[in-house]
Amino acid sequence: MVITMRRTQNIISILLTLADTSAYLSPYGNNIKTFHNHITNNAYNNKFASSRLRMSSSDSNNHKNSDRAHIELHLEDMMGDDWRLFRAKLVAQEQLEQSESNNVQSNNDAFRFSTGAITSLFPQQETEQFPASNNDGMLYNYDGLGEDSSPKNYCVDPFATPEEIMAVCHKPKVNINKHRWAHSLSHVEPGCVLIANEKLGGVFHQTVVLVIDHNDASGSTGIIINRPYPDKLTKVSQEETSNIDPRLKLAFNKSPVAFGGPIMKEEYTVLHGYGEVDGSKKVAPGIFVGGSQELANEVHRNAFDPSEALFVKGHATWVQSQLSREAAKGVWHVASVSHDFILRYAGAPTEDDDNPNDLWSDILMCMGGNYADVAKEYANRGDMRVT
C-alpha cells in the first residue's frame, strides 16, 4: 500500500503540474514562444504591471487553488488512494476468514462426534504405521516435507519492507460497497465516528459524532452530524443566536444546517467533500471541514452546489484522555465508516439499503452482529430532532 501511494502521489503531482501549466498558457494557445514574447515585449512595464497583477490575480489564484484541490480529490478517488477503504476490506476479509474457520471447526466437531459414535460400535483394526527409517537406517525422503505449500507472491520492488510486500501483494479477496461500509475500531482517531451507546441520554442520545481532532495529551473535538434542522441556513441563522458572515448567509442561503454540539452553539463549521481548499482541514479521505470563504467563491462561479455544504452549529469537546476513557467504558461505539455515511446530510447520495432518516441505526445495521441487534431494538426516533 505504501508503494502504491508513493506512485499515486507522483502521478497526481505530474497531472496537476500539467493542469497548472495549461491554465497559465491557455490565453496564448499553449504556444510557449508566444507567451515568452508577450512577457519580453512588456518588460519595461513590469514594475507597474506586477502590482496590478498581484491585485487582479488574487481571485484567479484562489480559483486555481480550489480547482486544484477538487481535481486532486477526484484523482485520488479514481486511483483508489483511500487507506480507510483498504483497511475496511482487510477487516471484511478477516471477518470472512474467521466465519469460515468457525464453520470448519463446527463441522469437524460434528464429524468427530458422529464417527466416534459409529466406531464405538465396532472394534478398531490395526493400521500400518509409517516406518521411521529404511533398512539402511536412513529416514525416508519426502521432498515436499516442511515446504510452504501456500502460493507465493513476489514484489518487484527490491527495497520493499515485509509490511509493504504484505500490503501490496496480499490484497483482500472480498469486495465491499465503497459507498456503504462500517466497522468497529479499538481506538479513537481523527476521521472516525462515535456512535452513542443505546443507553446514553441527554443531548447526545443516539448521536453520531465525527471526530475532528484527537490527542490524549491535549484533548479532542468533534461535531454531531445526524441532528439536521428542518430549515436552511438563512432561516436558522435568523431565528437562533448565530455568528456568521452575511456574505456566507447569502451564498449558502439554501444550505442544510445541523446541531453540532453544546459548545459555542452560535458558531458554525462547514462540513463538505469538495476538496482541501484554502482554510479547510482534511479530516479523512474525502472529508473536509472549514474553508467556507473559498467555498463561497466557488458557489458564485457555479462550481459548487451549496446543498453539499452542511453548516454545523456548535461542537463537542473533551479534555485530556477523557474521550479515550469514555470509549473504554462503552459510552461510545467507535467506528470507521464510509464518507457517504459522514456526508449523509451534506448532499451524499443514498442507496436502497440506506435508512435515510436514521443515521445512528443505519451505521449500526451496516456493522452487523451485535450492533445490528442494538439498532433493531432501540431505533425508533430518527434524526430529525434538535435538543
Side-chain angles (χ1 to χ4, degrees):
M1 181 174 64
V2 176
I3 302 170
T4 305
M5 291 179 64
R6 290 173 185 165
R7 293 170 179 168
T8 299
Q9 293 299 329
N10 289 337
I11 294 173
I12 290 176
S13 299
I14 294 172
L15 292 175
L16 290 174
T17 301
L18 292 174
D20 291 346
T21 304
S22 177
Y24 281 121
L25 297 184
S26 58
Y28 309 100
N30 291 335
N31 189 321
I32 297 179
K33 183 177 181 180
T34 303
F35 177 72
H36 173 73
N37 291 338
H38 175 82
I39 296 298
T40 303
N41 293 335
N42 291 278
Y44 70 93
N45 201 31
N46 278 349
K47 178 179 178 180
F48 303 101
S50 60
S51 60
R52 294 197 302 268
L53 181 62
R54 282 195 297 270
M55 292 186 294
S56 63
S57 65
S58 176
D59 290 339
S60 63
N61 285 337
N62 288 337
H63 294 161
K64 186 174 73 69
N65 291 336
S66 299
D67 288 340
R68 180 187 180 94
H70 198 47
I71 292 172
E72 183 176 12
L73 175 66
H74 283 294
L75 288 174
E76 289 178 352
D77 184 59
M78 287 189 302
M79 297 179 182
D81 194 15
D82 186 345
W83 63 267
R84 297 191 319 130
L85 180 60
F86 185 85
R87 181 177 62 182
K89 292 180 180 180
L90 292 178
V91 171
Q93 177 71 29
E94 185 179 73
Q95 292 174 344
L96 176 62
E97 292 174 352
Q98 183 63 43
S99 176
E100 292 175 347
S101 176
N102 292 339
N103 291 337
V104 170
Q105 183 64 36
S106 177
N107 292 336
N108 288 342
D109 292 342
F111 177 75
R112 282 193 293 268
F113 175 79
S114 61
T115 54
I118 294 174
T119 55
S120 64
L121 300 177
F122 302 95
Q124 296 184 1
Q125 297 180 354
E126 294 185 359
T127 57
E128 183 180 356
Q129 299 295 321
F130 188 83
S133 62
N134 57 19
N135 295 333
D136 297 330
M138 299 295 293
L139 291 175
Y140 278 90
N141 181 31
Y142 177 53
D143 292 337
L145 190 63
E147 288 187 359
D148 182 8
S149 60
S150 61
K152 297 178 175 59
N153 293 295
Y154 299 96
C155 182
V156 296
D157 191 341
F159 302 103
T161 65
E163 292 78 10
E164 292 174 343
I165 294 175
M166 179 63 68
V168 174
C169 297
H170 299 270
K171 295 182 179 180
K173 300 177 182 178
V174 298
N175 292 320
I176 63 175
N177 184 349
K178 71 175 185 177
H179 301 289
R180 180 182 172 82
W181 58 264
H183 64 83
S184 63
L185 289 176
S186 60
H187 61 281
V188 179
E189 65 185 23
C192 76
V193 296
L194 309 173
I195 307 167
N197 184 286
E198 58 276 12
K199 298 180 181 180
L200 180 62
V203 69
F204 290 106
H205 180 247
Q206 292 188 356
T207 55
V208 178
V209 180
L210 173 65
V211 176
I212 305 300
D213 294 296
H214 174 69
N215 189 316
D216 281 335
S218 58
S220 310
T221 60
I223 53 175
I224 299 172
I225 58 175
N226 68 324
R227 287 293 176 267
Y229 282 84
D231 300 311
K232 303 302 181 183
L233 180 60
T234 298
K235 189 172 183 180
V236 172
S237 61
Q238 290 174 349
E239 295 181 349
E240 299 196 16
T241 304
S242 299
N243 183 13
I244 186 170
D245 189 332
R247 179 171 174 264
L248 294 180
K249 287 198 294 185
L250 181 63
F252 297 99
N253 60 339
K254 296 183 179 180
S255 293
V257 184
F259 171 75
I263 307 299
M264 301 179 68
K265 292 189 289 185
E266 72 281 1
E267 301 290 342
Y268 290 84
T269 301
V270 61
L271 173 67
H272 60 94
Y274 184 76
E276 197 171 2
V277 299
D278 288 345
S280 68
K281 172 185 176 67
K282 183 177 182 179
V283 181
I287 307 296
F288 309 90
V289 293
S292 55
Q293 295 290 346
E294 191 58 38
L295 290 177
N297 294 333
E298 297 304 292
V299 171
H300 291 313
R301 295 175 57 219
N302 293 321
F304 179 62
D305 185 352
S307 66
E308 296 179 356
L310 177 65
F311 279 77
V312 184
K313 198 171 188 291
H315 64 274
T317 61
W318 293 263
V319 297
Q320 297 92 329
S321 302
Q322 179 185 359
L323 182 54
S324 294
R325 290 196 302 268
E326 291 182 1
K329 292 179 180 179
V331 176
W332 306 100
H333 304 302
V334 185
S336 180
V337 303
S338 65
H339 67 279
D340 279 1
F341 274 138
I342 296 175
L343 299 178
R344 168 67 59 84
Y345 291 103
T350 56
E351 298 185 343
D352 294 338
D353 294 335
D354 292 329
N355 183 346
N357 300 315
D358 196 337
L359 183 62
W360 181 83
S361 66
D362 206 10
I363 293 177
L364 290 174
M365 287 294 295
C366 187
M367 293 171 70
N370 295 333
Y371 298 105
D373 295 336
V374 169
K376 293 175 183 177
E377 182 176 355
Y378 290 94
N380 53 15
R381 294 188 58 187
D383 293 335
M384 296 297 294
R385 47 190 166 117
V386 178
T387 304

